[in-house]
């Protein structure tokens, strides 16, 4: 049976109610369609207990970048070492204070006469001098036969536990099957306290010991920011926990894209940040930091002192994967 409103106010009420209801219906449909078109993603966290753990790469750095014996044998002055070390600093330098223009010009001439990479290699502690014994899960192996040299803000460092495919991609050399301090990596390191320079080097440290960083084999080390220090004469244990991020594919509404990066075969957050910093420094000074990958000119001390300025790197562009 149909209902008919008998007076004008009643008609106005029902017309308004229907109009508002229809408007709400249309708005809700619009909101749902708008949300659907954005491909919304819910984060789901699950815990899986793996049968084995691919052991990460381990990068070791001596706090002392240059051997005192090498500095003395080659008649290198304190000012020269301090000036050379500016190439490893990203923070603003105060070296130019109280320095005459003539002295800086002499230091620049000395830097220009150097084979920079050869100097870094010759002045640093070799792998054989640094890492004396290696063992993984009871298996003794030759540390330096497999260690990879890597330049960082601490100078020449060494990375263990990594092998390289024919295409250049690095992968883990070890796998751990159960939790135990004896089932992981054990290394004996000699810091050579007797061969430390006895003057302060900007960007370095007056402490003695090593700095250690654990990272993915295909990812650059972040020993400058995430590494932790180990003093000499101690036995230190490190506990590792693995967090793995799996991004949805673009055909499954995923909006996380592993975009290609120059000089890296595999995308990683750390590699992305390195590229952003390299791009910022290139825009400022048309050079790259000595420990950054690439074939562009290396920033020399005068570039680091007079050109490179503090900047806020846009790390939000880098996706965690």
């Amino acid at each position: 049976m149909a209902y008919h409103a008998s007076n004008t106010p009643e008609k106005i009420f029902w017309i308004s109610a229907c109009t508002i209801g229809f408007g709400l219906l249309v708005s809700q449909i619009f909101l749902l369609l708008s949300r659907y078109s954005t491909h919304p993603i819910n984060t789901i966290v699950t815990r899986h207990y793996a049968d084995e753990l691919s052991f990460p790469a381990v990068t070791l750095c001596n706090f002392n970048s240059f051997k005192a014996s090498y500095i003395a044998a080659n008649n290198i002055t304190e000012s020269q070492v301090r000036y050379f070390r500016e190439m490893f600093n990203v923070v603003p330098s105060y070296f130019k204070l109280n320095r005459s223009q003539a002295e800086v010009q002499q230091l620049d001439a000395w830097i220009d006469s150097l084979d920079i990479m050869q100097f870094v290699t010759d002045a640093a502690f070799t792998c054989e001098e640094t890492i004396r014994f290696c063992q993984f899960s009871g298996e003794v192996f030759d540390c330096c036969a497999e260690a990879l040299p890597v330049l960082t803000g601490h100078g020449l460092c060494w990375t263990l536990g990594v092998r390289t495919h024919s295409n250049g991609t690095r992968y883990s050399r070890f796998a751990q099957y159960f939790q135990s301090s004896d089932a992981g990596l054990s290394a004996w390191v000699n810091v050579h306290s007797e061969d430390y320079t006895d003057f302060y080097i900007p960007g370095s440290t007056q402490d003695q010991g090593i700095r250690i960083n654990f990272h993915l084999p295909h990812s650059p080390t972040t020993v400058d920011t995430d590494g932790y220090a180990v003093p000499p004469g101690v036995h230190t244990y490190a506990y590792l926990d693995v967090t793995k991020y799996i991004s949805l594919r673009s055909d499954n509404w995923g909006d996380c894209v592993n975009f290609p990066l120059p000089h890296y075969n595999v995308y990683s957050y750390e590699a992305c940040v390195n590229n952003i910093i390299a791009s910022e420094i290139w825009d400022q000074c048309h050079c790259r930091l000595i420990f950054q990958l690439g074939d562009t000119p290396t920033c020399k001390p005068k570039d680091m002192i007079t050109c490179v300025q503090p900047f806020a790197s846009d790390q939000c562009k880098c996706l965690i994967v």
Side-chain angles (χ1 to χ4, degrees), residues 3-16:
Y3 173 79
H4 299 280
S6 58
N7 52 61
T8 300
E10 193 173 358
K11 291 179 180 179
I12 294 174
F13 169 79
W14 284 111
I15 291 174
S16 300

Side-chain angles (χ1 to χ4, degrees), residues 176-247:
Q176 188 167 341
Y177 298 94
F178 57 92
Q179 293 181 342
S180 172
S181 59
D182 296 327
L185 176 67
S186 176
W188 297 354
V189 179
N190 188 345
V191 301
H192 292 280
S193 301
E194 78 288 348
D195 209 6
Y196 267 47
T197 50
D198 58 0
F199 52 87
Y200 173 68
I201 302 176
S204 185
T205 175
Q206 291 176 301
D207 296 329
Q208 295 183 0
I210 60 171
R211 197 168 177 89
I212 304 177
N213 175 234
F214 299 95
H215 55 97
L216 294 173
H218 62 266
S219 174
T221 178
T222 54
V223 67
D224 298 324
T225 55
D226 297 332
Y228 63 93
V230 178
V234 298
H235 194 173
T236 301
Y237 293 89
Y239 170 80
L240 300 179
D241 192 14
V242 177
T243 300
K244 185 177 182 180
Y245 298 91
I246 301 178
S247 301

